Amino acid sequence: MNQVSDRILNMASSATIAMSQKSSELRAKGIDIINLSVGEPDFHTPDHIKRAAKQAIDDNFTYYPPVPGYLSLRQAVCAKLLKENGLSYSPDQIVCSNGAKQSVCNAVLALLNSGDEAIIPAPYWVSYTEMVKLAEGVPVVVPTDIESGFKLTAAQLRAAITPRTRLLILCSPCNPTGALYSAEELRRLVEVLADYPQIFVISDEIYEHISYSDAPVSIASFDGMLERTAVVNGVSKSYAMTGWRLGWLAAPLWLAKACSKLQGQYTSASSSIAQKAAEAAYLGSQQCVVDMREEFRNRRDLIVELVRQVPGFELAVPPQGAFYVFPKCDSLYGKTFDGVKITDSSSLAMYLLEHAHVAAVAGSAFGDDRFLRFSYATSEQNIIEAFKRIRQALAKS
């Protein structure tokens, strides 16, 4: 009997998770796979954060926390937002969730009605469009290009707005491109949004601390935008805490209450131990963040050089943040390597997995089939070996 709902049948699986699982399956068979598909730092969680988690267990933080999170953690988040971003929130405007992914989804579900439109610049993180569809909304995908640095322009934003537009989802620094919006670029978007007070913004800032040029600016910091923006962030990327599953949303009180109400019905609070660990992350020394960012910068410089040595790969703009490169590869489409014809980004990604034993993610999963995404959240040794294999695999006619 097949009684799966239409909403699940119509939902695409996460391509990043699927490729990572495929890599794990091949590795389990004894194949040496270099996984450049997963957006997960290879660093260990810093020791002072782990100690705080162990102490939380000893102190019996083992009961249900409040749905939006412990007050002490929400206060720590407020202090971080004020100090680093110049944004003033009260603890009742913070909702802690099981990762930033849930925070984004909470906001989408709380904001959209059936038929409402959400503007999503492409390339985009794989889950945005599926979350909008889950909320019975309509994703309005706006393609960006290499010339704009993969960033939505004010003219594109204005052209995409209709009477049904209710939401704009921005990610800066961006997954998958590494694009980082400058203050001036955000200001131009805000000038457009000023004409459309019905449009709310979800600002996904999970890669905030992994930026290599200017410090990221939040769109919520512009006049009139604090009450129109949900800032989403968390500890997964900056503090190497992906498995702890702790993200948060900072929003106007009415939206924070709505997200807490929603979360209270389907997951309740995030892990009590993860919350105490996250609190230590925000209140403790930030040297670990600086050290990891510098290591990511070194890896960024290395992988950019190696990508540009691959015939058929084009990388015009080095990523300004996050830990991904997104080279254009469509000049390889129609060619045959080792008896395999490459037709699109999916077939190219599968060829590299099976013949080079390197896992990447097809650009089609991010809304642009001309590209591949490679994560450099791995060692320099792995990066060097991976691109050696890629060059060899693409040299086989």
Side-chain angles (χ1 to χ4, degrees):
M1 179 182 297
N2 186 346
Q3 293 184 335
V4 175
S5 69
D6 289 344
R7 72 173 58 86
I8 301 301
L9 290 174
N10 294 331
M11 180 185 293
S13 297
S14 170
T16 53
I17 293 175
M19 181 57 81
S20 184
Q21 288 175 340
K22 178 70 172 175
S23 301
S24 297
E25 291 169 4
L26 292 175
R27 189 177 288 117
K29 295 178 180 178
I31 300 174
D32 177 24
I33 300 294
I34 299 177
N35 190 350
L36 303 186
S37 70
V38 64
E40 178 174 50
D42 61 326
F43 304 111
H44 297 306
T45 301
D47 287 342
H48 71 281
I49 298 173
K50 291 190 286 188
R51 285 195 297 269
K54 294 171 186 176
Q55 187 63 51
I57 294 172
D58 290 340
D59 291 343
N60 295 311
F61 281 93
T62 54
Y63 299 92
Y64 289 135
V67 170
Y70 287 127
L71 176 60
S72 57
L73 173 57
R74 288 181 284 132
Q75 289 172 329
V77 170
C78 288
K80 171 259 182 290
L81 285 164
L82 185 61
K83 179 181 179 181
E84 296 185 355
N85 308 102
L87 301 175
S88 180
Y89 290 94
S90 59
D92 56 358
Q93 293 178 273
I94 310 299
V95 180
C96 301
S97 302
N98 297 281
K101 179 180 283 190
Q102 184 180 16
S103 297
V104 174
C105 197
N106 280 348
V108 170
L109 290 169
L111 288 166
L112 294 182
N113 287 314
S114 179
D116 286 347
E117 294 177 357
I119 295 174
I120 303 173
Y124 49 74
W125 179 51
V126 296
S127 294
Y128 292 149
T129 54
E130 301 308 308
M131 289 175 178
V132 169
K133 289 188 282 187
L134 180 65
E136 299 183 349
V138 180
V140 177
V141 175
V142 180
T144 63
D145 52 39
I146 294 174
E147 289 70 30
S148 69
F150 297 111
K151 288 176 273 192
L152 180 73
T153 67
Q156 287 178 307
L157 174 60
R158 190 177 294 277
I161 294 172
T162 77
R164 298 292 304 186
T165 306
R166 294 293 180 270
L167 184 61
L168 167 65
I169 302 179
L170 283 182
C171 182
S172 177
C174 177
N175 174 7
T177 64
L180 176 66
Y181 285 83
S182 69
E184 178 60 23
E185 289 163 340
L186 289 175
R187 184 188 63 78
R188 292 171 187 159
L189 297 181
V190 169
E191 289 175 350
V192 175
L193 292 171
D195 295 334
Y196 302 92
Q198 76 277 15
I199 300 176
F200 200 85
V201 178
I202 295 176
S203 181
D204 186 345
E205 302 177 10
I206 191 65
Y207 295 97
E208 173 192 18
H209 288 136
I210 307 173
S211 59
Y212 311 117
S213 52
D214 297 333
V217 176
S218 176
I219 196 170
S221 65
F222 290 82
D223 288 346
M225 292 306 298
L226 193 67
E227 286 300 312
R228 298 179 57 184
T229 304
V231 174
V232 173
N233 209 323
V235 295
S236 293
K237 314 297 185 180
S238 299
Y239 299 93
M241 294 176 67
T242 51
W244 297 81
R245 307 311 304 133
L246 197 291
W248 48 263
L249 168 146
L253 184 58
W254 59 267
L255 179 58
K257 286 183 174 179
C259 290
S260 185
K261 178 181 179 181
L262 171 64
Q263 185 168 296
Q265 289 291 8
Y266 79 107
T267 63
S268 294
S270 53
S271 161
S272 59
I273 307 305
Q275 287 192 47
K276 299 307 288 185
E279 185 180 332
Y282 286 122
L283 297 180
S285 170
Q286 301 302 297
Q287 188 60 45
C288 59
V289 175
V290 174
D291 292 344
M292 285 188 278
R293 179 172 61 241
E294 289 311 301
E295 182 60 31
F296 282 131
R297 184 197 303 273
N298 293 337
R299 296 174 183 182
R300 188 276 307 262
D301 294 344
L302 172 64
I303 201 169
V304 165
E305 178 184 351
L306 294 176
V307 164
R308 287 173 170 168
Q309 292 175 10
V310 179
F313 281 18
E314 178 186 348
L315 186 66
V317 181
Q320 297 171 286
F323 38 65
Y324 310 103
V325 286
F326 200 60
K328 190 168 179 280
C329 308
D330 59 338
S331 65
L332 300 175
Y333 301 171
K335 296 184 178 181
T336 299
F337 301 98
D338 205 14
V340 178
K341 185 173 183 179
I342 306 301
T343 58
D344 52 20
S345 61
S346 295
S347 62
L348 179 55
M350 190 56 62
Y351 173 75
L352 293 179
L353 179 63
E354 294 178 345
H355 292 256
H357 298 158
V358 175
V361 185
S364 55
F366 305 99
D368 199 322
D369 190 48
R370 300 172 297 168
F371 296 81
L372 286 182
R373 191 195 78 173
F374 296 91
S375 167
Y376 51 91
T378 188
S379 68
E380 292 189 2
Q381 180 181 352
N382 279 344
I383 294 169
I384 292 169
E385 176 62 23
F387 279 86
K388 175 184 175 182
R389 295 181 186 184
I390 289 170
R391 289 193 301 272
Q392 290 173 343
L394 295 178
K396 298 177 181 178
S397 57

